[in-house]
Amino acid sequence: MHEAVPSRRSRGLISWVRRGGLSTLVFFLPVLLSFGLFSWWPILRSLPLSVQRTNFLTTDWVGLDNFTRVLADPLLLTATLNTLWFALLALVFGFPVPVILAVFIAELRRTRGLASALVYLPVIFPPVVAVLLWKAFFDPSPTGVLNTILGWAGLGPLSWLNDGDLAMISIVLQATWASFGTATIIYLATLMGVQTELYDAAETDGAIALRRFWHVTLPQMRGVLLVMMLLQLIGTFQVFTEPYIMTNGGPEDRTVTILMLIYRYAFVSGDYGRATALSLLLAIALSGLSWIYLWATKRWSTS
Amino acid sequence: MKSTRTQLLAPAVLAVAALTLVTGCSESNSGSSGPVSITVAGMPNNQQPELLNNFNRNISDFTKANPEVKVVGDEAVFDVRTFQALLAGGKLPTVFYVPFTEMQGLIARKQIADITSAIGADSMVSRINPSVMKVVKDSSDHVYGVPIQAYSMGLLYNRDLFKKAGLDPDKPPTTWDEVRADAKVIQSATGVQGFGSMTKDNTGGWVLTTMSYANGGTIESADGKNATVDNDATRKVLEFYRSLRWEDNTFGSNFLIGYNDAMKAFAGGKIGMFVQGADAYTTLVSNMGMKPDDFGLAPLPQAAQGLGALGGGTVAIINPRASAAEVKAAIKWLEFVNLRKYGSEPEAVADAKAKVADKQPLGAPALPLFDQATTDRYLGWVKDYINVPRQNYAGYFATAQTLALVPEPPTKAQETYGALDAVVQAVLTRRDADIDALLKDAQRKVQAIIAAS
């Protein structure tokens, strides 16, 4: 019995190597190291940090105190509502744009390559440069770029980021502009894979373009659409760069987002316990959202 | 489907990873009685060769006089986003420089060394102006740093625009009513916005606080236990903002302006007057190309019951992990390199020569660190090297000795300023903003900030 165990084990190891286990491990190692070191380990480290108070010299366990202080922050509700508002606006305005563009570009024959390149162009801008560029466009004076354009049509001038009601919409405008290129390219690739015989069949049946899109194109894009929507939702709940650079939360906290609160806790107040507590709450909320989303769309996406 | 789900959840989890915060590993220094090694911030970079030479000469002079101490220069400068990482990773230099505004938070979080017992009675430090020293002390008078440069908030104005508008640049406004009137004149004569203010990144609250002081009100009680935002002085400042913005239209149109935005606009001649630290000279002239003669600085106008002006400046602090021997060596060094020039003519001249050779301003507006006699003696030693038109700030220097330096709100100043930013933005972006309601709301928020500390 005692001798049988190691021999069985070594036999298991040999067959594991024979079945390609070693090469699997070698290929898996870079992923393991890079994500482990830069993602998973920090995530694990943040768990204790959220129930501690530390100044990086001495550390005290404070139980749920950090969570209590996060929930007591009057700005938390403001930031949550602002973030939801941003996510909703981005979904309503930002999500359909690349789908429509991709369908149009797919119809092109000779200029499809050029059109894809042009659509992708905004993505080439480094994010901070693009945000600063738009910040200048949003100049509230009558001589600002967007106000000049509005002036040609006899409209405006608008205060853009300086107007509490308009600030978040302006930010969504910029964010949509900056990100629609990538989504369009992905949808375009999906459309190229749409089975053309279905179009032929639809045409034989005399279906008009809009119905063709609705009954043939959309169902075939469904899987990709669902994934893209989930990724967008997760992305928009983490919006930071755009409002941070353009408004830093103003005017009157109308564009403060959850991530901006986390940033302020950590880097302005030096309160890492509170920052990780809110990060964890957001992570839990996003995981929950993803789970519900996948559960709700499971049937539809596999049909 | 199962694999699809895990594939989908993976990015979700990884996205969350971007939010979580990394902490570095820490190392601790053990105290030793033998030779001491300290790292010191403030080392100039290669762009300033003369200052770098002077810095290196200081190190070798210091090491000759103190052979048991080894000094290593470090170019690290303060940035609120990297300070915690420097500390957590054990990379914070033994001697480091931070702005006045950070001191209170650092003391509260116990992230700097208590150096009370390490400062000798005969030290230059004990002769520093007591109202400046207040910034580096806690409520029980423990000392956590050495101020090496100080200034007060003042009214900055563009002398060139004053001339163009037919105003006398040597007679800046001395009351807020005059500020309002001059802003109108500048605006109508030049088309440039007459007055301006920073409004975001906590600077809006910072300026509102100093203007409240000038009008006789505070933001927190002296013990830092109660919010006092809802007061008549702050109401007066907001009314002042409202009049310039909505009645006179001399306040411009953008009210999401941070420190750098305002500085660039002022250096470029796009703002007539604004409230800012008097130390802005160096940044405006050396880095942003403003002509020295265009830079105007007046003392912050005070109402009859005005309390004074908020102060600012630079403090030398010591790494909280430093051993007792390192603290002692560090204090010796920071006195040697920062304060010696006020007591030794050759040092004053050598320092001045290096600054001028590297085109750094010498004699820029500042508050005297010591008594007036010490300051005058120093200025006498370096008078041949002064490259700043100091006669333009005669008014500021004249009040520097008498105008009280009022400290920042004692509890969570930065968060408090953040809450006040929203009030300032409201008054400037909404014509119908209800100042009474805004102050009531801010009072409640600041009280909540104090309660959470």
Side-chain angles (χ1 to χ4, degrees):
Chain A
M1 188 65 198
H2 271 141
E3 282 157 26
V5 173
S7 70
R8 203 190 295 161
R9 218 179 249 165
S10 61
R11 232 181 295 144
L13 193 69
I14 288 162
S15 72
W16 178 77
V17 171
R18 276 206 191 120
R19 275 187 277 118
L22 208 59
S23 53
T24 308
L25 187 69
V26 167
F27 280 110
F28 194 53
L29 217 54
V31 179
L32 202 67
L33 280 178
S34 54
F35 282 104
L37 199 60
F38 295 110
S39 294
W40 302 328
W41 177 240
I43 291 177
L44 287 178
R45 285 282 287 129
S46 76
L47 291 177
L49 203 54
S50 69
V51 286
Q52 289 173 336
R53 177 171 294 178
T54 181
N55 62 0
F56 299 115
L57 303 162
T58 54
T59 299
D60 302 316
W61 294 86
V62 293
L64 294 179
D65 180 55
N66 290 326
F67 292 90
T68 320
R69 287 189 304 129
V70 165
L71 295 175
D73 187 342
L75 266 181
L76 180 67
L77 181 66
T78 313
T80 309
L81 292 176
N82 286 343
T83 307
L84 288 170
W85 179 228
F86 177 86
L88 181 73
L89 285 172
L91 201 63
V92 171
F93 296 114
F95 192 71
V97 172
V99 180
I100 296 163
L101 274 175
V103 170
F104 281 5
I105 293 174
E107 292 295 320
L108 298 172
R109 291 285 178 261
R110 261 175 292 172
T111 48
R112 189 186 295 151
L114 180 68
S116 330
L118 287 178
V119 162
Y120 195 69
L121 216 53
V123 183
I124 293 170
F125 280 87
V128 173
V129 175
V131 175
L132 286 173
L133 193 71
W134 276 81
K135 192 181 169 189
F137 290 172
F138 287 134
D139 183 345
S141 68
T143 52
V145 174
L146 291 179
N147 277 339
T148 306
I149 295 170
L150 283 183
W152 293 337
L155 301 170
L158 297 178
S159 293
W160 300 108
L161 299 166
N162 273 270
D163 180 337
D165 295 327
L166 212 59
M168 197 58 106
I169 298 172
S170 308
I171 292 173
V172 168
L173 199 64
Q174 192 281 331
T176 304
W177 173 86
S179 65
F180 78 89
T182 311
T184 307
I185 297 295
I186 292 172
Y187 292 138
L188 197 58
T190 318
L191 282 173
M192 295 296 99
V194 167
Q195 293 157 358
T196 45
E197 60 267 34
L198 287 177
Y199 281 126
D200 298 338
E203 251 164 61
T204 330
D205 289 349
I208 58 163
L210 197 66
R211 289 191 54 178
R212 225 165 56 201
F213 172 72
W214 194 254
H215 290 292
V216 181
T217 315
L218 263 191
Q220 293 207 53
M221 288 175 77
R222 204 158 40 195
V224 176
L225 281 173
L226 289 176
V227 176
M228 293 294 283
M229 187 178 280
L230 180 60
L231 290 180
Q232 177 176 335
L233 275 177
I234 293 168
T236 50
F237 277 111
Q238 297 175 34
V239 60
F240 174 74
T241 314
E242 295 86 355
Y244 174 67
I245 295 172
M246 285 201 264
T247 62
N248 198 4
E252 292 185 73
D253 299 327
R254 295 288 289 270
T255 58
V256 170
T257 63
I258 294 177
L259 231 67
M260 206 179 279
L261 272 194
I262 296 174
Y263 172 85
R264 286 183 186 174
Y265 290 161
F267 296 102
V268 179
S269 310
D271 193 344
Y272 280 68
R274 206 179 184 189
T276 36
L278 182 51
S279 300
L280 264 175
L281 289 177
L282 179 64
I284 291 166
L286 285 183
S287 306
L289 178 88
S290 306
W291 190 82
I292 292 170
Y293 180 89
L294 289 173
W295 177 79
T297 56
K298 191 165 104 180
R299 179 160 308 205
W300 196 51
S301 64
T302 45
S303 66
Chain B
M1 188 55 219
K2 184 120 205 296
S3 71
T4 318
R5 184 190 297 178
T6 39
Q7 272 165 20
L8 279 178
L9 269 180
V13 171
L14 292 177
V16 165
L19 309 175
T20 50
L21 302 151
V22 198
T23 60
C25 42
S26 53
E27 60 190 40
S28 60
N29 295 332
S30 54
S32 62
S33 53
V36 188
S37 174
I38 56 172
T39 47
V40 296
M43 184 161 92
N45 59 27
N46 293 331
Q47 305 293 309
Q48 302 174 318
E50 291 303 320
L51 286 171
L52 184 56
N53 278 343
N54 196 46
F55 184 85
N56 287 330
R57 188 183 57 81
N58 271 328
I59 290 187
S60 72
D61 286 359
F62 181 80
T63 325
K64 248 176 246 158
N66 305 278
E68 77 286 0
V69 183
K70 182 169 181 272
V71 179
V72 180
D74 192 319
E75 285 181 12
V77 291
F78 179 83
D79 183 330
V80 70
R81 291 162 299 188
T82 54
F83 180 83
Q84 306 290 337
L86 282 177
L87 184 63
K91 299 290 179 205
L92 187 71
T94 321
V95 176
F96 198 60
Y97 298 99
V98 304
F100 276 25
T101 43
E102 295 298 322
M103 282 307 288
Q104 186 196 85
L106 291 171
I107 294 172
R109 292 193 298 271
K110 299 190 169 64
Q111 290 183 317
I112 47 180
D114 180 344
I115 57 172
T116 318
S117 56
I119 294 173
D122 58 337
S123 157
M124 286 284 278
V125 178
S126 55
R127 286 174 41 208
I128 290 176
N129 190 340
S131 72
V132 175
M133 275 306 277
K134 231 187 259 174
V135 176
V136 298
K137 290 181 178 175
D138 66 5
S139 51
S140 47
D141 263 4
H142 280 240
V143 180
Y144 291 87
V146 176
I148 58 155
Q149 180 236 327
Y151 62 85
S152 60
M153 302 289 281
L155 182 73
L156 267 59
Y157 62 100
N158 187 314
R159 295 173 61 89
D160 182 48
L161 286 174
F162 260 59
K163 270 180 239 160
K164 283 186 182 142
L167 297 166
D168 183 352
D170 292 324
K171 288 204 176 66
T174 56
T175 66
W176 293 106
D177 285 337
E178 284 175 27
V179 172
R180 184 177 174 184
D182 286 358
K184 269 194 220 171
V185 175
I186 292 169
Q187 179 104 26
S188 63
T190 64
V192 172
Q193 76 179 76
F195 189 76
S197 176
M198 302 179 280
T199 52
K200 71 173 179 100
D201 313 337
N202 302 351
T203 57
W206 185 47
V207 172
L208 180 65
T209 300
T210 194
M211 285 182 66
S212 297
Y213 291 172
N215 280 286
T218 57
I219 299 301
E220 285 178 8
S221 58
D223 60 6
K225 284 186 183 143
N226 293 301
T228 56
V229 180
D230 193 0
N231 68 71
D232 286 337
T234 309
R235 189 168 290 113
K236 232 163 100 185
V237 178
L238 294 172
E239 283 294 345
F240 173 80
Y241 278 4
R242 198 190 52 75
S243 316
L244 270 71
R245 167 71 176 108
W246 300 107
E247 287 171 26
D248 305 350
N249 197 14
T250 53
F251 216 120
S253 57
N254 189 2
F255 307 103
L256 294 169
I257 300 181
Y259 187 88
N260 281 327
D261 304 320
M263 293 284 274
K264 276 181 205 150
F266 184 69
K270 300 217 167 69
I271 295 179
M273 299 174 272
F274 78 130
V275 174
Q276 178 65 292
D279 67 323
Y281 182 92
T282 304
T283 308
L284 288 166
V285 174
S286 300
N287 306 346
M288 296 182 170
M290 190 173 188
K291 282 194 206 132
D293 275 325
D294 291 352
F295 177 91
L297 167 66
L300 198 66
Q302 297 287 313
Q305 63 278 41
L307 304 172
L310 193 63
T314 310
V315 182
I317 60 153
I318 293 170
N319 189 327
R321 289 205 176 94
S323 67
E326 285 164 357
V327 170
K328 215 173 134 211
I331 289 176
K332 232 184 216 175
W333 161 261
L334 68 88
E335 281 186 34
F336 185 87
V337 75
N338 294 307
L339 306 179
R340 194 170 48 135
K341 63 184 175 216
Y342 295 106
S344 143
E345 181 166 5
E347 262 330 295
V349 171
D351 174 79
K353 268 187 185 162
K355 277 212 174 87
V356 172
D358 280 339
K359 302 194 168 49
Q360 290 295 301
L362 186 79
L367 285 184
L369 210 46
F370 302 95
D371 55 285
Q372 193 65 48
T374 309
T375 305
D376 289 344
R377 186 179 63 175
Y378 166 77
L379 288 171
W381 289 335
V382 299
K383 67 175 184 301
D384 292 340
Y385 300 95
I386 286 177
N387 56 7
V388 171
R390 284 175 65 93
Q391 69 281 0
N392 288 354
Y393 327 120
Y396 177 83
F397 291 127
T399 57
Q401 285 293 325
T402 53
L403 190 68
L405 213 51
V406 189
E408 295 195 87
T411 307
K412 297 264 170 185
Q414 291 302 319
E415 281 179 49
T416 300
Y417 293 157
L420 297 179
D421 269 3
V423 176
V424 172
Q425 290 167 2
V427 171
L428 295 173
T429 60
R430 275 197 290 124
R431 187 187 286 271
D432 62 350
D434 178 349
I435 290 177
D436 286 335
L438 285 166
L439 281 176
K440 214 174 250 172
D441 184 50
Q443 166 79 21
R444 192 179 51 80
K445 280 186 184 148
V446 173
Q447 195 63 55
I449 289 167
I450 293 172
S453 74

